[in-house]
Amino acid sequence: MWRNCWILFAALLGAGLFSSCGSQVKANTRIAYDYRPGKTAVLRGGKAYAPPGAPIEVKRAIAAANSIVGMPYKWGGGHAVLNDTGYDCSGAASYVLRNAGLMQGQMPSRGFLNYGERGQGKWITVYARNGHVFLTIAG
């Protein structure tokens, strides 16, 4: 089951910098992959590649996400130890955003309810509800 969650997480990561740097949307919002040349990351060989003109924060976020894809789910992972052996949803989101330079430290999923601006981001969108969080980066 968790393997499928990580595959979905990887696809979502590869598949919106927030309004300018970040945005958040309720997790029950429907998500659709809409490829747009120059705006959407490309998935190839299990890795996401940022569009050439993407901001450096987006490229860093995708590189960070690629570095943890395939790691096991670990309850509380990424919270007590920043570079952990596994991550939960908020630990993974924190890891990616921290490595992109868009946040300091880490936070639990409910902390993301107030992160960034409301609505879909231009490059990165945080989807949060009490108990779960995930990101889309570059589409």
Side-chain angles (χ1 to χ4, degrees):
M1 174 181 162
W2 293 113
R3 183 178 177 335
N4 291 339
C5 289
W6 279 112
I7 291 169
L8 174 61
F9 185 65
L12 290 169
L13 285 173
L17 236 355
F18 303 123
S19 286
S20 69
C21 246
S23 190
Q24 63 94 358
V25 175
K26 290 192 178 201
N28 61 357
T29 303
R30 189 174 197 80
I31 301 162
Y33 180 77
D34 179 28
Y35 179 76
R36 294 179 309 186
K39 296 287 184 185
T40 309
V42 175
L43 292 175
R44 201 175 296 130
K47 290 197 175 216
Y49 295 88
I56 189 66
E57 294 88 348
V58 172
K59 292 176 181 178
R60 288 178 183 157
I62 289 174
N66 282 335
S67 73
I68 62 172
V69 167
M71 293 185 93
Y73 177 87
K74 180 178 173 184
W75 182 262
H79 292 281
V81 178
L82 298 178
N83 295 307
D84 214 333
T85 57
Y87 295 86
D88 63 12
C89 63
S90 55
S94 295
Y95 179 88
V96 169
L97 294 172
R98 185 177 59 250
N99 282 287
L102 299 173
M103 71 178 282
Q104 303 250 335
Q106 62 280 341
M107 68 175 89
S109 57
R110 71 181 169 273
F112 285 98
L113 292 170
N114 298 310
Y115 179 81
E117 299 174 17
R118 289 217 172 269
Q120 188 170 358
K122 182 176 179 184
W123 288 98
I124 298 173
T125 302
V126 176
Y127 293 86
R129 68 173 184 223
N130 194 19
H132 189 56
V133 62
F134 66 92
L135 314 169
T136 60
I137 304 170

